[in-house]
PDB file of all heavy atoms in Angstrom:
ATOM      1  N   SER A 138      22.361 -26.771  17.435  1.00 98.00           N
ATOM      2  CA  SER A 138      22.797 -25.931  16.332  1.00 98.00           C
ATOM      3  C   SER A 138      22.177 -26.296  14.997  1.00 98.00           C
ATOM      4  O   SER A 138      21.760 -27.482  14.820  1.00 98.00           O
ATOM      5  CB  SER A 138      24.288 -26.034  16.226  1.00 98.00           C
ATOM      6  OG  SER A 138      25.034 -25.590  17.414  1.00 98.00           O
ATOM      7  N   LEU A 139      21.963 -25.253  14.222  1.00 98.00           N
ATOM      8  CA  LEU A 139      21.583 -25.485  12.755  1.00 98.00           C
ATOM      9  C   LEU A 139      22.425 -24.527  11.885  1.00 98.00           C
ATOM     10  O   LEU A 139      22.766 -23.457  12.395  1.00 98.00           O
ATOM     11  CB  LEU A 139      20.123 -25.161  12.670  1.00 98.00           C
ATOM     12  CG  LEU A 139      19.062 -26.114  13.194  1.00 98.00           C
ATOM     13  CD1 LEU A 139      17.615 -25.549  13.013  1.00 98.00           C
ATOM     14  CD2 LEU A 139      19.131 -27.488  12.320  1.00 98.00           C
ATOM     15  N   ARG A 140      22.559 -24.882  10.671  1.00 98.00           N
ATOM     16  CA  ARG A 140      23.141 -24.065   9.642  1.00 98.00           C
ATOM     17  C   ARG A 140      22.096 -23.889   8.511  1.00 98.00           C
ATOM     18  O   ARG A 140      21.683 -24.785   7.885  1.00 98.00           O
ATOM     19  CB  ARG A 140      24.442 -24.571   9.172  1.00 98.00           C
ATOM     20  CG  ARG A 140      25.081 -23.444   8.238  1.00 98.00           C
ATOM     21  CD  ARG A 140      26.383 -23.840   7.684  1.00 98.00           C
ATOM     22  NE  ARG A 140      26.351 -24.802   6.507  1.00 98.00           N
ATOM     23  CZ  ARG A 140      27.357 -24.968   5.693  1.00 98.00           C
ATOM     24  NH1 ARG A 140      28.509 -24.293   5.831  1.00 98.00           N
ATOM     25  NH2 ARG A 140      27.146 -25.853   4.720  1.00 98.00           N
ATOM     26  N   LEU A 141      21.661 -22.591   8.473  1.00 98.00           N
ATOM     27  CA  LEU A 141      20.759 -22.252   7.353  1.00 98.00           C
ATOM     28  C   LEU A 141      21.513 -21.875   6.097  1.00 98.00           C
ATOM     29  O   LEU A 141      22.606 -21.326   6.197  1.00 98.00           O
ATOM     30  CB  LEU A 141      19.774 -21.144   7.681  1.00 98.00           C
ATOM     31  CG  LEU A 141      18.990 -21.342   9.008  1.00 98.00           C
ATOM     32  CD1 LEU A 141      18.073 -20.176   9.254  1.00 98.00           C
ATOM     33  CD2 LEU A 141      18.234 -22.649   8.961  1.00 98.00           C
ATOM     34  N   SER A 142      21.023 -22.271   4.934  1.00 98.00           N
ATOM     35  CA  SER A 142      21.593 -21.848   3.699  1.00 98.00           C
ATOM     36  C   SER A 142      20.596 -21.052   2.749  1.00 98.00           C
ATOM     37  O   SER A 142      19.413 -21.338   2.916  1.00 98.00           O
ATOM     38  CB  SER A 142      22.085 -23.116   2.819  1.00 98.00           C
ATOM     39  OG  SER A 142      23.023 -23.858   3.565  1.00 98.00           O
ATOM     40  N   CYS A 143      21.145 -20.168   2.015  1.00 98.00           N
ATOM     41  CA  CYS A 143      20.327 -19.355   1.128  1.00 98.00           C
ATOM     42  C   CYS A 143      20.945 -19.409  -0.268  1.00 98.00           C
ATOM     43  O   CYS A 143      22.027 -18.764  -0.475  1.00 98.00           O
ATOM     44  CB  CYS A 143      20.195 -17.905   1.610  1.00 98.00           C
ATOM     45  SG  CYS A 143      19.422 -16.801   0.445  1.00 98.00           S
ATOM     46  N   ALA A 144      20.471 -20.213  -1.137  1.00 98.00           N
ATOM     47  CA  ALA A 144      21.009 -20.333  -2.458  1.00 98.00           C
ATOM     48  C   ALA A 144      20.455 -19.323  -3.358  1.00 98.00           C
ATOM     49  O   ALA A 144      19.177 -19.161  -3.524  1.00 98.00           O
ATOM     50  CB  ALA A 144      20.750 -21.708  -3.021  1.00 98.00           C
ATOM     51  N   ALA A 145      21.291 -18.601  -4.027  1.00 97.00           N
ATOM     52  CA  ALA A 145      20.978 -17.447  -4.957  1.00 97.00           C
ATOM     53  C   ALA A 145      20.953 -17.991  -6.373  1.00 97.00           C
ATOM     54  O   ALA A 145      21.842 -18.874  -6.823  1.00 97.00           O
ATOM     55  CB  ALA A 145      21.763 -16.305  -4.787  1.00 97.00           C
ATOM     56  N   SER A 146      20.105 -17.475  -7.242  1.00 96.00           N
ATOM     57  CA  SER A 146      20.016 -17.844  -8.630  1.00 96.00           C
ATOM     58  C   SER A 146      21.056 -17.207  -9.576  1.00 96.00           C
ATOM     59  O   SER A 146      21.140 -17.563 -10.761  1.00 96.00           O
ATOM     60  CB  SER A 146      18.671 -17.569  -9.266  1.00 96.00           C
ATOM     61  OG  SER A 146      18.358 -16.145  -9.201  1.00 96.00           O
ATOM     62  N   ARG A 147      21.879 -16.366  -8.977  1.00 93.00           N
ATOM     63  CA  ARG A 147      22.891 -15.692  -9.741  1.00 93.00           C
ATOM     64  C   ARG A 147      24.087 -15.436  -8.815  1.00 93.00           C
ATOM     65  O   ARG A 147      24.038 -15.554  -7.666  1.00 93.00           O
ATOM     66  CB  ARG A 147      22.339 -14.363 -10.294  1.00 93.00           C
ATOM     67  CG  ARG A 147      21.641 -13.327  -9.247  1.00 93.00           C
ATOM     68  CD  ARG A 147      21.737 -12.013  -9.570  1.00 93.00           C
ATOM     69  NE  ARG A 147      23.022 -11.455  -9.179  1.00 93.00           N
ATOM     70  CZ  ARG A 147      23.381 -10.201  -9.306  1.00 93.00           C
ATOM     71  NH1 ARG A 147      22.479  -9.277  -9.718  1.00 93.00           N
ATOM     72  NH2 ARG A 147      24.516  -9.728  -8.850  1.00 93.00           N
ATOM     73  N   SER A 148      25.070 -14.862  -9.412  1.00 93.00           N
ATOM     74  CA  SER A 148      26.267 -14.432  -8.591  1.00 93.00           C
ATOM     75  C   SER A 148      25.931 -13.450  -7.565  1.00 93.00           C
ATOM     76  O   SER A 148      25.172 -12.517  -7.807  1.00 93.00           O
ATOM     77  CB  SER A 148      27.324 -13.853  -9.532  1.00 93.00           C
ATOM     78  OG  SER A 148      28.404 -13.385  -8.728  1.00 93.00           O
ATOM     79  N   ILE A 149      26.484 -13.593  -6.378  1.00 93.00           N
ATOM     80  CA  ILE A 149      26.308 -12.656  -5.313  1.00 93.00           C
ATOM     81  C   ILE A 149      27.474 -11.844  -4.990  1.00 93.00           C
ATOM     82  O   ILE A 149      27.405 -11.001  -4.010  1.00 93.00           O
ATOM     83  CB  ILE A 149      25.904 -13.435  -4.002  1.00 93.00           C
ATOM     84  CG1 ILE A 149      26.960 -14.301  -3.488  1.00 93.00           C
ATOM     85  CG2 ILE A 149      24.535 -14.245  -4.254  1.00 93.00           C
ATOM     86  CD1 ILE A 149      26.643 -14.850  -2.095  1.00 93.00           C
ATOM     87  N   ASP A 150      28.439 -11.870  -5.901  1.00 90.00           N
ATOM     88  CA  ASP A 150      29.656 -11.144  -5.658  1.00 90.00           C
ATOM     89  C   ASP A 150      29.410  -9.627  -5.550  1.00 90.00           C
ATOM     90  O   ASP A 150      30.072  -8.983  -4.713  1.00 90.00           O
ATOM     91  CB  ASP A 150      30.532 -11.317  -6.875  1.00 90.00           C
ATOM     92  CG  ASP A 150      31.084 -12.667  -7.016  1.00 90.00           C
ATOM     93  OD1 ASP A 150      30.571 -13.618  -6.284  1.00 90.00           O
ATOM     94  OD2 ASP A 150      32.080 -12.884  -7.822  1.00 90.00           O
ATOM     95  N   SER A 151      28.589  -9.108  -6.350  1.00 87.00           N
ATOM     96  CA  SER A 151      28.232  -7.630  -6.370  1.00 87.00           C
ATOM     97  C   SER A 151      27.032  -7.264  -5.489  1.00 87.00           C
ATOM     98  O   SER A 151      26.697  -5.984  -5.550  1.00 87.00           O
ATOM     99  CB  SER A 151      28.030  -7.137  -7.802  1.00 87.00           C
ATOM    100  OG  SER A 151      26.949  -7.817  -8.360  1.00 87.00           O
ATOM    101  N   ILE A 152      26.417  -8.160  -4.785  1.00 91.00           N
ATOM    102  CA  ILE A 152      25.341  -7.774  -3.913  1.00 91.00           C
ATOM    103  C   ILE A 152      25.817  -7.216  -2.684  1.00 91.00           C
ATOM    104  O   ILE A 152      26.469  -7.891  -1.875  1.00 91.00           O
ATOM    105  CB  ILE A 152      24.410  -8.998  -3.620  1.00 91.00           C
ATOM    106  CG1 ILE A 152      23.888  -9.506  -4.858  1.00 91.00           C
ATOM    107  CG2 ILE A 152      23.351  -8.599  -2.641  1.00 91.00           C
ATOM    108  CD1 ILE A 152      23.029 -10.825  -4.731  1.00 91.00           C
ATOM    109  N   ASN A 153      25.632  -5.833  -2.486  1.00 89.00           N
ATOM    110  CA  ASN A 153      26.314  -5.192  -1.352  1.00 89.00           C
ATOM    111  C   ASN A 153      25.885  -5.731   0.023  1.00 89.00           C
ATOM    112  O   ASN A 153      26.716  -5.886   0.826  1.00 89.00           O
ATOM    113  CB  ASN A 153      25.916  -3.701  -1.472  1.00 89.00           C
ATOM    114  CG  ASN A 153      26.598  -2.954  -0.367  1.00 89.00           C
ATOM    115  OD1 ASN A 153      27.788  -2.896  -0.348  1.00 89.00           O
ATOM    116  ND2 ASN A 153      25.895  -2.312   0.479  1.00 89.00           N
ATOM    117  N   THR A 154      24.545  -5.929   0.156  1.00 94.00           N
ATOM    118  CA  THR A 154      24.106  -6.358   1.540  1.00 94.00           C
ATOM    119  C   THR A 154      23.172  -7.577   1.285  1.00 94.00           C
ATOM    120  O   THR A 154      22.226  -7.597   0.519  1.00 94.00           O
ATOM    121  CB  THR A 154      23.320  -5.318   2.113  1.00 94.00           C
ATOM    122  OG1 THR A 154      24.135  -4.059   2.275  1.00 94.00           O
ATOM    123  CG2 THR A 154      22.801  -5.696   3.513  1.00 94.00           C
ATOM    124  N   MET A 155      23.440  -8.584   2.129  1.00 97.00           N
ATOM    125  CA  MET A 155      22.571  -9.710   2.282  1.00 97.00           C
ATOM    126  C   MET A 155      22.218  -9.880   3.770  1.00 97.00           C
ATOM    127  O   MET A 155      23.042  -9.609   4.574  1.00 97.00           O
ATOM    128  CB  MET A 155      23.146 -10.990   1.633  1.00 97.00           C
ATOM    129  CG  MET A 155      23.500 -10.855   0.172  1.00 97.00           C
ATOM    130  SD  MET A 155      23.897 -12.429  -0.558  1.00 97.00           S
ATOM    131  CE  MET A 155      22.233 -13.247  -0.644  1.00 97.00           C
ATOM    132  N   THR A 156      21.019 -10.340   4.011  1.00 98.00           N
ATOM    133  CA  THR A 156      20.552 -10.392   5.418  1.00 98.00           C
ATOM    134  C   THR A 156      19.817 -11.653   5.692  1.00 98.00           C
ATOM    135  O   THR A 156      19.300 -12.394   4.811  1.00 98.00           O
ATOM    136  CB  THR A 156      19.595  -9.233   5.720  1.00 98.00           C
ATOM    137  OG1 THR A 156      18.385  -9.327   4.952  1.00 98.00           O
ATOM    138  CG2 THR A 156      20.264  -7.869   5.464  1.00 98.00           C
ATOM    139  N   TRP A 157      19.790 -11.952   6.963  1.00 98.00           N
ATOM    140  CA  TRP A 157      18.758 -12.999   7.475  1.00 98.00           C
ATOM    141  C   TRP A 157      17.842 -12.212   8.438  1.00 98.00           C
ATOM    142  O   TRP A 157      18.333 -11.498   9.251  1.00 98.00           O
ATOM    143  CB  TRP A 157      19.442 -14.107   8.248  1.00 98.00           C
ATOM    144  CG  TRP A 157      20.272 -15.035   7.445  1.00 98.00           C
ATOM    145  CD1 TRP A 157      21.478 -15.053   7.138  1.00 98.00           C
ATOM    146  CD2 TRP A 157      19.618 -16.173   6.791  1.00 98.00           C
ATOM    147  NE1 TRP A 157      21.829 -16.229   6.319  1.00 98.00           N
ATOM    148  CE2 TRP A 157      20.673 -16.851   6.070  1.00 98.00           C
ATOM    149  CE3 TRP A 157      18.257 -16.679   6.697  1.00 98.00           C
ATOM    150  CZ2 TRP A 157      20.446 -17.992   5.337  1.00 98.00           C
ATOM    151  CZ3 TRP A 157      18.083 -17.865   5.921  1.00 98.00           C
ATOM    152  CH2 TRP A 157      19.197 -18.534   5.249  1.00 98.00           C
ATOM    153  N   SER A 158      16.633 -12.480   8.282  1.00 98.00           N
ATOM    154  CA  SER A 158      15.581 -11.987   9.188  1.00 98.00           C
ATOM    155  C   SER A 158      14.753 -13.127   9.613  1.00 98.00           C
ATOM    156  O   SER A 158      14.715 -14.240   9.087  1.00 98.00           O
ATOM    157  CB  SER A 158      14.684 -10.916   8.430  1.00 98.00           C
ATOM    158  OG  SER A 158      15.506  -9.798   8.011  1.00 98.00           O
ATOM    159  N   ARG A 159      13.910 -12.869  10.667  1.00 98.00           N
ATOM    160  CA  ARG A 159      12.992 -13.888  11.135  1.00 98.00           C
ATOM    161  C   ARG A 159      11.667 -13.386  11.606  1.00 98.00           C
ATOM    162  O   ARG A 159      11.610 -12.143  11.938  1.00 98.00           O
ATOM    163  CB  ARG A 159      13.633 -14.734  12.269  1.00 98.00           C
ATOM    164  CG  ARG A 159      13.847 -13.942  13.597  1.00 98.00           C
ATOM    165  CD  ARG A 159      14.647 -14.758  14.611  1.00 98.00           C
ATOM    166  NE  ARG A 159      14.867 -14.074  15.809  1.00 98.00           N
ATOM    167  CZ  ARG A 159      15.596 -14.453  16.861  1.00 98.00           C
ATOM    168  NH1 ARG A 159      16.236 -15.651  16.661  1.00 98.00           N
ATOM    169  NH2 ARG A 159      15.711 -13.725  17.941  1.00 98.00           N
ATOM    170  N   GLN A 160      10.634 -14.186  11.569  1.00 98.00           N
ATOM    171  CA  GLN A 160       9.344 -13.717  11.976  1.00 98.00           C
ATOM    172  C   GLN A 160       8.732 -14.908  12.807  1.00 98.00           C
ATOM    173  O   GLN A 160       8.453 -16.025  12.290  1.00 98.00           O
ATOM    174  CB  GLN A 160       8.457 -13.398  10.831  1.00 98.00           C
ATOM    175  CG  GLN A 160       7.142 -12.800  11.270  1.00 98.00           C
ATOM    176  CD  GLN A 160       6.406 -12.068  10.134  1.00 98.00           C
ATOM    177  OE1 GLN A 160       6.678 -12.428   8.902  1.00 98.00           O
ATOM    178  NE2 GLN A 160       5.557 -11.090  10.442  1.00 98.00           N
ATOM    179  N   ALA A 161       8.511 -14.597  14.162  1.00 97.00           N
ATOM    180  CA  ALA A 161       7.854 -15.515  15.003  1.00 97.00           C
ATOM    181  C   ALA A 161       6.325 -15.332  14.953  1.00 97.00           C
ATOM    182  O   ALA A 161       5.862 -14.205  14.646  1.00 97.00           O
ATOM    183  CB  ALA A 161       8.387 -15.389  16.404  1.00 97.00           C
ATOM    184  N   PRO A 162       5.535 -16.286  15.406  1.00 91.00           N
ATOM    185  CA  PRO A 162       4.087 -16.079  15.395  1.00 91.00           C
ATOM    186  C   PRO A 162       3.679 -14.906  16.153  1.00 91.00           C
ATOM    187  O   PRO A 162       4.204 -14.714  17.340  1.00 91.00           O
ATOM    188  CB  PRO A 162       3.645 -17.415  16.042  1.00 91.00           C
ATOM    189  CG  PRO A 162       4.727 -18.463  15.673  1.00 91.00           C
ATOM    190  CD  PRO A 162       5.947 -17.651  15.765  1.00 91.00           C
ATOM    191  N   GLY A 163       2.881 -14.001  15.613  1.00 94.00           N
ATOM    192  CA  GLY A 163       2.418 -12.845  16.272  1.00 94.00           C
ATOM    193  C   GLY A 163       3.326 -11.787  16.397  1.00 94.00           C
ATOM    194  O   GLY A 163       3.084 -10.724  17.062  1.00 94.00           O
TER     195      GLY A 163
END
């Protein structure tokens, strides 16, 4: 298991959508 974190430079209260995406080689 791993837990990834994404720290934002501002409040995220009003950000409607946040996502995680990934890109594998090729």
Side-chain angles (χ1 to χ4, degrees):
S138 299
L139 284 174
R140 188 176 79 159
L141 305 184
S142 298
C143 171
S146 63
R147 51 151 282 183
S148 173
I149 63 172
D150 295 12
S151 62
I152 300 177
N153 184 63
T154 303
M155 300 192 73
T156 65
W157 286 99
S158 300
R159 67 187 182 187
Q160 188 164 24

